[in-house]
Amino acid sequence: MELLNRIQDPHDLRRLKPDQLPQLAQQLRQFILDTVSRTGGHLSSNLGTVELTVALHYVFDTPQDRLVWDVGHQTYAHKILTGRREQMGTLRQYGGISGFPRREESPYDTFGTAHSSTSISAALGMALAAHSKGERRKVVAVIGDGALTGGMAFEALNNAGVHPEADLLVVLNDNDMSISAPVGALNRYLARLLSGRFYASARDAAKQVLKVAPPPLFELARRLEEHAKGLVVPGTLFEEFGFDYIGPIDGHDLSALVPTLQNLRERSGPRLLHVVTKKGYGYKLAEADPITYHGPGRFNPVEGIKPPAVAPKPTYAQVFGQWLCDIAVKDDRLVAITPAMCEGSGLVEFSQKYPGRYHDVGIAEQHAVTFAAGLACEGLKPVVAIYSTFLQRAYDQVIHDVAIQNLPVLFAIDRAGVVGADGATHTGAFDIPALRCLPNVTLMAPADEAECRQMLCTGYSLNGPSAVRYPRGAGVGAQVNRADMGVLTVGRAQLRRASQAPSGRRIAILAFGPVLYTALRVAESLDASVVNMRFIKPLDVELLHHMAQTHDALVTVEEGAVLGGAGSACIGALQARDSHTPVLSLGLPDAWLEHGDPVQITAAIGLDAAGLLHSIHARFPDIVGDLPGPLQRAANA
């Protein structure tokens, strides 16, 4: 690691000779592998962008020149080269550095990101801002071929192409889709030729000469140039957007990357460099199976990822995937849709068994929802498997295309609530406030895996839009009966524990989702009643009012934004009937959650048992009374 240890920031990197860069890349790749194997994190994507990252920081004057990453899960090499090597041991841990770019973390992180397809829009804004202020700087956006499937990326390309004053370079990191010609000597030669001044000057001179020719002749020459180029490089599409296209080029060949980027640095206007990389590059196990090594936990890099000795409890995503396959047997109208989250959403088995009824639409959440609406219009029963944080990107489509038309689309919302190491950008905080205000929508929150299956059956049976929100990972281990296709009574809650406390000391905890089990533990300490609310919309208003009439205080608990959340719905329902029973609403705070272990985060925001106990005692000391010593210490923790 001798070379890598000398690099404290990109200024040190630029002091190296070009022939030292491959050795640095090798050390950087080994450092990433060693780090991620200890901390967990994104691996395949980061191993694939090592040389590209080295070349970009070597050629461009970062952070004066702006480097904007798309998604950001491939920026570990970037973090290491920009002064955060010593902090990599804290990667994605509570109080440590983020797994994504964050503006507050480093001046080299010019734009915070963790969602897809935003880089070109942000970079164009930066480039035009520099132009309007008279500042000379380069702006580079790095976008993957997967992120390019997002409609926002094409909107940005379309806009950028009409701004020749924008000093913008888009680097297309092609590491998966078969959209490029074979990479070899000819393509390397073409990339260097097309990026050089000679080609650009010759083409511009030819255009000037032909401008005095009759218009038909000029148009013919223009078309001949574009189509001749299209025979050897797949750049016609980008040229039509107004970009100068260069590539494809081997993204692991620094002897080609560096001079090509140097040529492009000297040019201006919108241009696009197409580089071809391989996920997991340099680590054979990740190269062979980039999906398994996409976001691993801790593992031995010599042995690779091994299956656990003891089979883990099924995750909610697995419960959903099994339910989907079971429904498909009984109803051939079922169609499953995912915006590029097949593995994460538990759809692998379904995609293999029912390929004709499975649609991965790419990173295009808006399209996924409206596509589902179109299917529903024709009598099919679409199920959209989507993460809570990604559903936000299709909110307009949920409203206009599904809810207003009252179409039977079921949203299976994964990663609802605290997600852990991915932090604020992936926290499923806002689906409850967003969906509960929409007419026609039924919104459910299961307390465990078995109830999740029941709610999926319930939502699927309805003749209108519905959603089931469930957390990441496994639940309490509730036994799931795959033969059970029963449905719940819509809007009916479930009393799980009745308080035996005397009048004046009665508290009822109304739990939405898996926090039910934490509430039950707290209730034993307080002799409180506990209601599994099940339905966020419609609420079980009758049981809610009964609890208000028979208890001295109510506590609502949810793993979602407390502002506008399920607790707010309860307060509104009580106010509508002029109830004066005091209510304490607990949930995710009005703040962005940090990344880290979910247990730590839950404790930090007061949604663990000790936190609930503390909040209840602090708000209702006269009702709760004095707690026994151990409980008092827990409440004060």
Side-chain angles (χ1 to χ4, degrees), residues 499-508 527-529 550-554 623:
S499 172
Q500 301 301 314
S503 179
R505 298 291 297 272
R506 288 186 180 177
I507 288 178
D527 192 11
S529 296
T550 57
H551 291 75
D552 303 292
L554 302 180
I623 299 174

Side-chain angles (χ1 to χ4, degrees), residues 1 98 206 428 448 458 622 629:
M1 296 294 173
S98 170
D448 55 40
T458 304
D622 295 337

Side-chain angles (χ1 to χ4, degrees), residues 148-357:
L148 201 64
T149 65
M152 188 175 173
F154 283 92
E155 293 173 16
L157 287 171
N158 185 54
N159 187 209
V162 299
H163 287 289
E165 72 276 21
D167 197 344
L168 171 66
L169 170 63
V170 175
V171 178
L172 170 58
N173 176 32
D174 175 8
N175 59 20
D176 195 18
M177 294 169 58
S178 300
I179 62 173
S180 60
V183 175
L186 175 61
N187 286 290
R188 173 176 169 178
Y189 168 76
L190 285 171
R192 295 186 66 171
L193 173 66
L194 295 176
S195 67
R197 286 184 174 179
F198 175 79
Y199 172 80
S201 299
R203 185 175 64 173
D204 292 342
K207 286 181 178 179
Q208 292 300 318
V209 171
L210 286 169
K211 276 185 177 178
V212 300
L217 181 60
F218 178 79
E219 181 63 19
L220 175 62
R222 186 187 69 81
R223 290 179 178 274
L224 283 173
E225 180 210 22
E226 287 182 354
H227 288 287
K229 246 177 114 178
L231 291 174
V232 290
V233 290
T236 304
L237 171 65
F238 301 110
E239 293 278 4
E240 291 292 343
F241 272 121
F243 281 73
D244 287 340
Y245 172 88
I246 298 91
I249 186 172
D250 186 347
H252 301 297
D253 184 354
L254 282 160
S255 65
L257 272 174
V258 169
T260 300
L261 287 170
Q262 288 172 334
N263 284 334
L264 288 168
R265 184 189 59 195
E266 301 306 313
R267 291 169 59 175
S268 60
R271 55 252 194 242
L272 186 142
L273 173 63
H274 182 175
V275 302
V276 179
T277 62
K278 185 176 181 63
K279 288 182 179 178
Y281 186 78
Y283 181 47
K284 295 301 182 184
L285 295 174
E287 287 184 28
D289 189 0
I291 293 177
T292 296
Y293 287 85
H294 170 72
R298 296 179 179 87
F299 69 99
N300 184 329
V302 176
E303 298 178 354
I305 298 174
K306 302 292 185 182
V310 178
K313 294 183 292 187
T315 65
Y316 279 94
Q318 289 171 327
V319 170
F320 164 71
Q322 292 169 354
W323 168 83
L324 201 62
C325 291
D326 295 340
I327 287 287
V329 173
K330 297 178 177 296
D331 190 347
D332 59 11
R333 297 175 300 162
L334 180 138
V335 179
I337 303 165
T338 179
M341 288 288 125
C342 178
E343 290 80 16
S345 292
L347 288 167
V348 173
E349 182 183 359
F350 182 87
S351 68
Q352 294 168 347
K353 287 185 175 180
Y354 303 98
R357 297 158 67 180

Side-chain angles (χ1 to χ4, degrees), residues 95-118:
I97 62 173
S98 170
F100 300 98
R102 294 183 69 178
R103 283 173 54 83
E104 60 267 37
E105 192 175 288
S106 169
Y108 290 92
D109 291 358
T110 60
F111 194 78
T113 184
H115 281 191
S116 167
S117 313
T118 61

